[in-house]
Amino acid sequence: MRGSLRCLAVFWICVIVLIGGCSKSSEEASEAITWRIALEEVEGSVQDAYAREFKKRMAERSKGRIHVEIYPYGTLGTSPQLTELVQAGALDLTFASPGHLASVIPEVGVFTLHFVFSDDNQINKQVLASEPVREILSSAYQEQGLELIGIVPEGWMAWTADKALTSPADFEGLKIRTMTSPILIKTYEAYGANPTPLPYSEVYSGLQLGQIDGQVNPIFAIEEMSFYEEQDVMTLARHAQFVSTLVASSQWYASLPPEQLAWFNGVVADMVDWIYQKQETFNQKRLNIIKQAGGTEVVELTDTQREAFRQASMGVRQVYIEQAGARGEKLLDAIRAQIENHEAESRIEPMTESRLSTNR
Ligand code: 6CS
């Protein structure tokens, strides 16, 4: 009797475990959702680090329901092709850098203009997150079937060539590879260079074959794409930040259930500080690698040298306004006004502090 009771108990335990197991796996199968995100950069890049962190946080926040699949550069296409895939709804998310995207959305070309950003990245962070910037760009993106999810920094741009580029005269006739945005082409023309737009994947061979004399990218990219190996000098002018944007397909974004949208927005908002710190560490480490390799001289421009470039680049702002229209002009004005206010505040801060302490 005891034996048959034991058999019965074992039988029901098996039934419960089996039913539980079946219902759990069918529940997981029906609820597992895949979001596909493409990178304009290779594995190990800043965008890859951002996407991996996003994937990890989405899995945590959704308790495993959202699975993010990452497609590094080279698996789906060039930057403009990735944007087209997202516009067509064939891909959910991609990074879309203004250096290419401004050909489709001229307003975002503001981030490719030289000497627009502050030297203080804390100020840039506040400006990029501000209401006017988000509002103006969001509507311009929506008109192109894109949802602007985030504006992400990737570090200061640096010039590489076989000589130091310390004044606009050094650019005379230089075949410098740029991204495809027309604003960038106009900017380097203003310096007297011969700008040559090429896809990212062709820059290294372009340098090797002498098709181009130089290129411009953030430091981490110059290291990971081995551009520095083909160049004698890297010039740091802090003329522009490399800013990218994370975009979603409008169709896909509109179809997200409220719960998923809340997880998504929460993760994106929580990642901002992490992103700013991450890009700084990345660029510093890669700068050290380039310096230690010893074959590339690193030249940092003085404020006076930078001023000559700033003046030479100012006329391009008018070209930007012609291309980006009234909305683009409003965006540029809003960015500049905020930067000037923040910089003025940070200059008067010590005075305010001392006034406060004497008043106490
Ligand atoms: O130079 C380019 O085309 C690329 N540079 C970086 C650092 N990211 C993506 C972009 O397409």
Side-chain angles (χ1 to χ4, degrees):
M1 178 68 184
R2 216 181 290 146
S4 54
L5 270 178
R6 197 178 300 130
C7 276
L8 200 62
V10 169
F11 168 76
W12 280 114
I13 288 168
C14 288
V15 168
I16 290 163
V17 167
L18 272 174
I19 292 173
C22 284
S23 67
K24 192 163 181 245
S25 62
S26 63
E27 189 182 293
E28 273 171 0
S30 64
E31 291 190 2
I33 300 148
T34 301
W35 290 3
R36 291 152 313 145
I37 179 170
L39 314 181
E40 301 169 291
E41 295 166 7
V42 295
E43 278 181 50
S45 63
V46 163
Q47 287 185 5
D48 187 39
Y50 295 171
R52 282 169 189 262
E53 185 68 16
F54 173 68
K55 175 186 174 122
K56 191 183 96 194
R57 292 186 188 214
M58 279 308 303
E60 282 165 6
R61 192 161 300 215
S62 68
K63 299 200 168 41
R65 281 190 54 207
I66 305 289
H67 167 70
V68 177
E69 223 162 68
I70 303 171
Y71 294 87
Y73 187 64
T75 49
L76 295 180
T78 61
S79 299
Q81 287 166 341
L82 297 178
T83 301
E84 280 168 24
L85 286 173
V86 171
Q87 282 175 307
L91 180 66
D92 309 324
L93 295 153
T94 188
F95 284 96
S97 294
H100 297 291
L101 190 61
S103 307
V104 182
I105 303 173
E107 290 88 337
V108 79
V110 73
F111 298 142
T112 66
L113 289 171
H114 288 189
F115 300 97
V116 162
F117 284 110
S118 172
D119 285 353
D120 181 345
N121 228 8
Q122 283 308 313
I123 292 180
N124 297 330
K125 183 176 165 186
Q126 293 180 60
V127 173
L128 289 180
S130 68
E131 209 48 34
V133 173
R134 303 290 307 205
E135 252 179 47
I136 295 173
L137 284 178
S138 289
S139 27
Y141 275 53
Q142 279 160 2
E143 285 165 19
Q144 292 299 326
L146 298 169
E147 197 64 36
L148 175 64
I149 305 298
I151 304 176
V152 290
E154 298 196 20
W156 288 107
M157 302 284 268
W159 296 316
T160 65
D162 283 337
K163 60 178 182 178
L165 300 166
T166 59
S167 73
D170 292 327
F171 273 90
E172 199 55 51
L174 188 90
K175 277 185 276 161
I176 185 161
R177 179 271 173 176
T178 62
M179 290 181 275
T180 46
S181 151
I183 313 277
L184 284 170
I185 295 164
K186 291 284 177 205
T187 304
Y188 286 98
E189 280 174 356
Y191 297 158
N194 182 3
T196 312
L198 278 179
Y200 195 37
S201 54
E202 290 173 29
V203 180
Y204 183 79
S205 58
L207 292 170
Q208 233 182 2
L209 301 172
Q211 190 188 358
I212 46 175
D213 305 318
Q215 67 80 46
V216 49
N217 252 304
I219 296 166
F220 83 86
I222 292 171
E223 191 278 326
E224 93 193 343
M225 299 300 280
S226 305
F227 302 153
Y228 72 103
E229 291 175 3
E230 295 296 320
Q231 306 264 260
D232 294 340
V233 186
M234 179 162 81
T235 305
L236 310 179
R238 277 177 290 121
H239 60 281
Q241 284 265 340
F242 189 97
V243 170
S244 190
T245 63
L246 177 65
V247 299
S249 146
S250 292
Q251 269 165 270
W252 173 83
Y253 188 78
S255 74
L256 287 179
E259 188 185 38
Q260 291 181 31
L261 195 59
W263 294 334
F264 191 15
N265 291 338
V267 167
V268 169
D270 286 355
M271 278 185 67
V272 174
D273 287 339
W274 183 91
I275 280 176
Y276 272 83
Q277 278 161 15
K278 189 77 190 171
Q279 61 83 20
E280 263 175 35
T281 321
F282 244 92
N283 282 297
Q284 192 52 53
K285 277 192 185 157
R286 305 285 175 100
L287 176 62
N288 292 341
I289 296 174
I290 295 173
K291 283 181 174 171
Q292 277 158 17
T296 313
E297 188 192 348
V298 178
V299 172
E300 198 158 346
L301 296 196
T302 63
D303 284 347
T304 314
Q305 288 168 326
R306 292 177 71 215
E307 182 55 24
F309 282 105
R310 198 187 68 80
Q311 282 179 18
S313 72
M314 285 307 279
V316 184
R317 295 194 184 181
Q318 197 46 46
V319 179
Y320 164 75
I321 291 166
E322 280 156 22
Q323 291 180 3
R327 197 163 51 180
E329 184 171 13
K330 198 171 154 202
L331 179 61
L332 174 60
D333 289 348
I335 291 175
R336 281 308 311 159
Q338 287 187 70
I339 289 178
E340 277 163 26
N341 285 343
H342 286 304
E343 285 180 341
E345 273 167 24
S346 59
R347 273 196 297 274
I348 61 166
E349 220 164 84
M351 246 183 71
T352 318
E353 282 286 308
S354 63
R355 220 181 285 141
L356 279 175
S357 52
T358 28
N359 284 349
R360 246 184 255 136

